[in-house]
Amino acid sequence: MSEWTGEEALLLRSVKRESVREFAGRLGIDPRTVTYWKKRPGRVCRAGTQQILDAALAQCTAEEQEAFRVRLATLRGESALGDLAAARPGPCSVVSHKFLPVHVGERLAPLYAAGVPQSAGPGGLERRVLPGGHRTAHASAVHVYTCGIAVVHLEEHRRVESMTELAVWRYRSYLKDRSWAGKRLRELLVEHSVAVAVDASPEYVLSAYELREHSWAGPGLETALQLLTTPSVLVNRQDPENVSPLGSGVEDAKFAEGWKHPEAISFGGGVSQGVAGWSGVSYHPQQDERALTMSEIVDLELDAQALWALSSHILHMVEDGRDPVMPDGYGWRYLRGAYSRLTAARPTETAQHRVMREAILATSELPDRLRAAQDALRDGNP
C-alpha cells in the first residue's frame, strides 16, 4: 500500500474476519483507533500505523492478500483483472548479489589484520573487508571474520528478456564464481605470507536479487519475485556444467498459474515486496524513500552466511567422528550471542525489517543449525 486510510485498514479487518478487539490486538493498537477509522474512514493513518498495517498485510496468507487486492480494486473503482494482464513473462533489470562463504580458520588472521574495518552487521560479528578484484563484476569484496570465515560478495547488474534467461546465467555462473573465489582467497593468503594448506573453495553460492526496471504488477510481480528466488523450476540442472532452459512454455505456465514455491516466505508490505527461499532472496522496493534498502538485506546475508559456514564446519567435525574444537572466544557462547542478536527484535527495528529478517532466517534454517552447533560445542567442551 502506498498510503493507508482508515477505510483501507478496515478492509484488511474484513478480510481477516476479526472483531474490533481481535484486529486491534493483532496490530498491537488501541481498539478505539479501529473505532475511529469507522467514523473517519478517509483519514490517512499515522506513519507508525502505516508500517504496522504494511507488516500485517505481508503476514496474511496468499488467499487473504488476493482477497484484499480484489476488494481494494472494487473500493477504488478499478478492475481487479487489470493486474492479471501483466502476469506474463517479460524483460527486466536486476542487481544480483552473490555470497560465497568458506571456512579458513586461524590462517585467516593475517587477512583480517590487513582488512579495512567495517561496522558490525545484525549478528554483531567483527569483520573487515579486502578488495575482491573481480574483472567483470560491478563490485566485489572479500569480507573476513574473526571467527575464521571469509565471505566473498559479488554485485552484478543484469538486463534479461525473461526469468529463464536469468536462471540459466545464474546456474552457469556458479561453477566459475566458486572457482574464482577460491583462487582469489588463495592469492590473498599467499600475498600475506600464509602457506595455503587448506581448501579455500566455497561449497555453495547464495543469491539475492533486487528487481529494478520491469512491467509487472499485482500477481505478475509476485510470480516474478517467486521465480527470482527459486529459479530451478525453469532449468534442467542434471549437468551442472551445461545448465539448459526447459523452454519458454514453462515460464509462460508459471506466470499463468501464479506459481509460488510452497516453502518460500513473502515479506515486505505496501512499499516493498520480497520473497525469501532456501536458495535465495528477491526484493523490489516500490517506494524507495519508505522501503527497506537492499544494503540492509546484504548486511543480514553476510552475517547469516558467515554463521552458516561456521556452524557447518562444526557439524562436519561431528559427522566425521571428531570432537569439535574452536579457538578461545569462539565456542558455544560465541554462537549463542550471535543467535540472540540475529533472532531478537530491536526497539528501533521497523516492521518491514523485522518481517524481512524473520523470513530470511526461517527459510535458511540458520537458527536450527546454530542451536545444533552450540549443543555440539557444549557437549564436547563442557
Side-chain angles (χ1 to χ4, degrees):
M1 290 287 295
S2 59
E3 194 172 57
W4 288 88
T5 64
E7 188 173 30
E8 290 159 347
L10 292 173
L11 194 64
L12 181 59
R13 180 175 79 92
S14 72
V15 168
K16 297 296 294 183
R17 298 182 180 179
E18 293 176 333
S19 68
V20 169
R21 290 190 176 277
E22 288 173 336
F23 188 59
R26 174 184 294 277
L27 300 181
I29 62 176
D30 192 313
R32 287 177 294 183
T33 300
V34 182
T35 303
Y36 175 77
W37 289 336
K38 292 182 177 181
K39 297 178 180 178
R40 302 287 297 275
R43 191 70 175 265
V44 175
C45 299
R46 295 179 178 177
T49 308
Q50 299 258 359
Q51 290 191 347
I52 292 172
L53 289 165
D54 283 341
L57 178 59
Q59 292 170 341
C60 287
T61 65
E63 292 76 14
E64 290 170 339
Q65 291 184 10
E66 178 63 11
F68 179 82
R69 185 189 68 81
V70 172
R71 295 184 192 183
L72 182 62
T74 302
L75 179 67
R76 293 174 173 176
E78 301 169 352
S79 171
L81 297 176
D83 288 344
L84 296 177
R88 61 172 66 94
C92 66
S93 62
V94 299
V95 178
S96 164
H97 295 270
K98 294 174 181 172
F99 305 91
L100 300 92
V102 60
H103 176 269
V104 180
E106 293 179 273
R107 293 175 184 269
L108 205 59
L111 269 63
Y112 181 82
V116 177
Q118 301 290 299
S119 57
L125 310 182
E126 295 180 82
R127 64 184 169 104
R128 295 185 176 183
V129 68
L130 293 166
H134 197 284
R135 288 186 296 177
T136 60
H138 181 82
S140 61
V142 179
H143 296 261
V144 183
Y145 290 79
T146 56
C147 58
I149 299 294
V151 180
V152 178
H153 174 217
L154 299 178
E155 178 184 327
E156 298 164 284
H157 296 201
R158 304 287 298 183
R159 174 74 181 178
V160 296
E161 294 302 312
S162 67
M163 288 295 162
T164 301
E165 179 185 335
L166 185 64
V168 171
W169 169 79
R170 171 177 174 169
Y171 288 116
R172 286 183 179 177
S173 67
Y174 277 3
L175 289 178
K176 296 178 182 178
D177 292 334
R178 290 171 58 196
S179 176
W180 173 85
K183 180 181 178 182
R184 180 57 180 152
L185 283 171
R186 288 190 291 272
E187 289 174 349
L188 287 170
L189 289 167
V190 171
E191 181 181 327
H192 292 86
S193 303
V194 179
V196 183
V198 63
D199 182 8
S201 298
E203 293 185 16
Y204 67 90
V205 185
L206 182 127
S207 287
Y209 290 105
E210 180 184 5
L211 177 62
R212 291 194 171 175
E213 296 177 4
H214 66 93
S215 59
W216 293 298
L221 177 57
E222 175 66 19
T223 301
L225 291 171
Q226 289 279 339
L227 292 173
L228 271 177
T229 302
T230 52
S232 58
V233 296
L234 299 174
V235 295
N236 182 340
R237 295 191 295 156
Q238 290 184 340
D239 180 1
E241 296 185 357
N242 189 29
V243 174
S244 59
L246 290 177
S248 60
V250 174
E251 185 172 343
D252 289 336
K254 296 301 181 186
F255 272 96
E257 72 186 40
W259 182 82
K260 292 184 179 182
H261 192 284
E263 296 179 356
I265 299 177
S266 297
F267 65 87
V271 296
S272 65
Q273 283 183 250
V275 177
W278 171 257
S279 62
V281 178
S282 61
Y283 180 65
H284 176 55
Q286 294 170 309
Q287 291 187 23
D288 292 340
E289 70 278 6
R290 290 179 55 200
L292 287 169
T293 63
M294 193 64 193
S295 62
E296 292 177 284
I297 296 176
V298 169
D299 284 343
L300 176 60
E301 283 293 4
L302 283 169
D303 277 9
Q305 297 312 311
L307 288 169
W308 178 272
L310 182 61
S311 59
S312 291
H313 170 70
I314 294 167
L315 295 175
H316 283 330
M317 286 192 285
V318 174
E319 293 166 3
D320 292 341
R322 295 178 288 156
D323 289 333
V325 178
M326 294 295 291
D328 291 342
Y330 299 99
W332 66 268
R333 290 182 178 85
Y334 176 80
L335 294 184
R336 181 181 63 180
Y339 173 89
S340 177
R341 288 187 291 270
L342 277 178
T343 57
R346 295 288 182 263
T348 57
E349 186 177 46
T350 66
Q352 286 186 80
H353 194 282
R354 176 175 56 80
V355 294
M356 177 272 291
R357 174 177 53 79
E358 291 175 350
I360 289 177
L361 292 180
T363 52
S364 70
E365 299 181 3
L366 176 61
D368 291 340
R369 292 187 71 84
L370 283 176
R371 285 193 294 266
Q374 287 179 61
D375 292 341
L377 289 174
R378 191 185 293 112
D379 292 344
N381 304 274

